[in-house]
Amino acid sequence: EAKLQGRNIWQCYTGQISAPTLEHISLRREMFEAIEEQQFVVYYQPLVDARTGEVRSLEALIRWHHPERGMVPPNDFIPLAEHTGQIISIDQWVLRQACLDTVAMNASRPHAQSVAVAVNISPIHFRRAGFVNEVQQVLAESGLAPYLLELEVTEGVLMSGADTVIKQLDALRHYGVRVAIDDFGTGFSSLSYLRQLPINKVKLDRCFIEGIDHQRDSAAIVQGVITMAHNLGLQVVAEGVEAHAEWEDLTRRGCDFLQGYLFSRPVPLIDVMALPNRLPV
Ligand code: C2E
Ligand code: MG
Ligand code: MG
Ligand code: MG
């Protein structure tokens, strides 16, 4: 839910982590076990071409099938994993799995256009020295073409340690890996700042899409981002598209890619492999 706070700061709900509690202490231990015991699974949600409905890429979204707690959503453990540093091994596991799965996915549909995969990378992981080498290694091991990998980072990554981040982005671009700014509009970066960065895409946060048909300011933000992004040579993705009217509105406004429950929820690999190349809505 988006609220206009103060003058011009949009606030969208984000998971937050407070003082350590007993709950966190046990979750921390359980996250260590989760990788060992293969409790994590990667689900995939398609991103479609706004004009044709064709599936162009898949976003990898982690799921934790906890033996006692059941399904733990990422917003309930990613912030803690970032706090404890465990996010690095979690992200590394997801990256590797997503590349392997995408190679399998494309091999299973030799006559269709290859789909790309988008992997979320935590800022603390992205900023680490050696991150780009790690990505190169995973690509080499999995056999995924670099241009089929897209990394999603939030605006937050850009705001601190700009020099390191620009170096990482340049190295990724040199290697052919694509980068998208996730949850765009919820942080403090402006499009004019993005102009200086070698990135490919912005993903408009879901909170702007929710209001597009009844809140004039949401619609204005969406239109402004699309227009400016295109002028800077960037593509635009809308997240959280749930209604047909939103799809039409976004397409009319020139949005390039759409993602949301209207097309598909995030699903296991086997189910995403069974989806048609073009999604009916
Ligand atoms: P995100 O990267 O912005 O991912 C989009 C989120 O929106 C996903 O939530 C997705 O299931 C949800 N979503 C997609 N379409 C719709 C829709 O039409 N309606 C609604 N209501 N929701 C929709 P999910 O899977 O719970 O993930 C939440 C966040 O957790 C992600 O936000 C991302 O920031 C983080 N995350 C997930 N997997 C990973 C991972 O492997 N590594 C890292 N570092 N973060 C991850
Ligand atoms: Mg994402
Ligand atoms: Mg997002
Ligand atoms: Mg998000």
Side-chain angles (χ1 to χ4, degrees):
E1 185 203 354
K3 281 201 188 79
L4 201 52
Q5 271 212 347
R7 300 269 298 282
N8 50 10
I9 300 165
W10 278 79
Q11 289 239 309
C12 301
Y13 173 81
T14 49
Q16 282 219 331
I17 193 88
S18 40
T21 61
L22 281 176
E23 172 68 3
H24 290 162
I25 292 163
S26 51
L27 262 183
R28 177 173 190 264
R29 179 177 43 75
E30 290 164 23
M31 281 194 288
F32 278 118
E33 294 165 2
I35 289 198
E36 302 269 292
E37 319 217 329
Q38 304 184 14
Q39 295 166 9
F40 289 125
V41 185
V42 184
Y43 275 32
Y44 295 93
Q45 185 179 34
L47 277 74
V48 306
D49 183 308
R51 275 152 223 91
T52 64
E54 278 171 289
V55 177
R56 303 301 292 278
S57 51
L58 307 173
E59 180 171 4
L61 293 159
I62 196 169
R63 296 291 178 262
W64 182 3
H65 291 292
H66 191 285
E68 287 105 43
R69 299 172 194 264
M71 177 81 112
V72 187
N75 288 332
D76 288 3
F77 67 92
I78 297 280
L80 180 65
E82 288 179 328
H83 193 74
T84 63
Q86 289 165 295
I87 192 64
I88 290 169
S89 37
I90 293 174
D91 276 355
Q92 284 169 340
W93 179 83
V94 173
L95 177 65
R96 192 161 187 284
Q97 192 63 48
C99 290
L100 290 168
D101 286 351
T102 306
V103 168
M105 164 93 182
N106 286 325
S108 78
R109 341 199 281 171
H111 303 296
Q113 198 188 354
S114 294
V115 296
V117 69
V119 180
N120 293 286
I121 300 292
S122 167
I124 60 163
H125 188 193
F126 189 88
R127 282 196 291 260
R128 241 168 50 125
F131 172 70
V132 178
N133 283 340
E134 208 179 276
V135 171
Q136 282 178 311
Q137 211 176 329
V138 173
L139 287 169
E141 281 168 19
S142 64
L144 185 73
Y147 70 92
L148 292 179
L149 177 64
E150 188 158 73
L151 302 176
E152 293 192 4
V153 290
T154 51
E155 289 168 273
V157 99
L158 309 170
M159 301 318 284
S160 54
D163 285 354
T164 325
V165 169
I166 291 174
K167 258 202 254 157
Q168 302 276 64
L169 289 168
D170 279 334
L172 289 167
R173 161 160 293 195
H174 176 75
Y175 201 64
V177 172
R178 302 167 59 86
V179 176
I181 303 302
D182 206 350
D183 303 341
F184 188 79
T186 60
F188 297 92
S189 56
S190 63
L191 276 164
S192 65
Y193 177 72
L194 294 189
R195 185 186 51 175
Q196 308 157 23
L197 301 173
I199 57 163
N200 305 89
K201 252 187 205 171
V202 295
K203 297 189 76 175
L204 262 166
D205 194 78
R206 179 157 58 87
C207 67
F208 302 110
I209 311 308
E210 270 170 14
I212 196 167
D213 50 359
H214 57 275
Q215 284 174 356
R216 247 195 300 160
D217 38 10
S218 288
I221 289 172
V222 168
Q223 187 62 68
V225 170
I226 293 172
T227 305
M228 286 189 280
H230 284 170
N231 287 339
L232 297 173
L234 304 174
Q235 294 180 311
V236 181
V237 185
E239 299 185 318
V241 181
E242 293 184 356
H244 202 274
E246 293 164 353
W247 174 44
E248 284 173 351
D249 193 316
L250 288 158
T251 306
R252 189 166 43 78
R253 292 179 190 279
C255 189
D256 303 286
F257 301 102
L258 309 174
Q259 175 181 10
Y261 295 171
L262 178 65
F263 303 97
S264 168
R265 287 185 175 255
V267 292
L269 177 68
I270 188 162
D271 297 321
V272 90
M273 279 172 113
L275 289 175
N277 295 339
R278 186 180 297 231
L279 292 183
V281 286

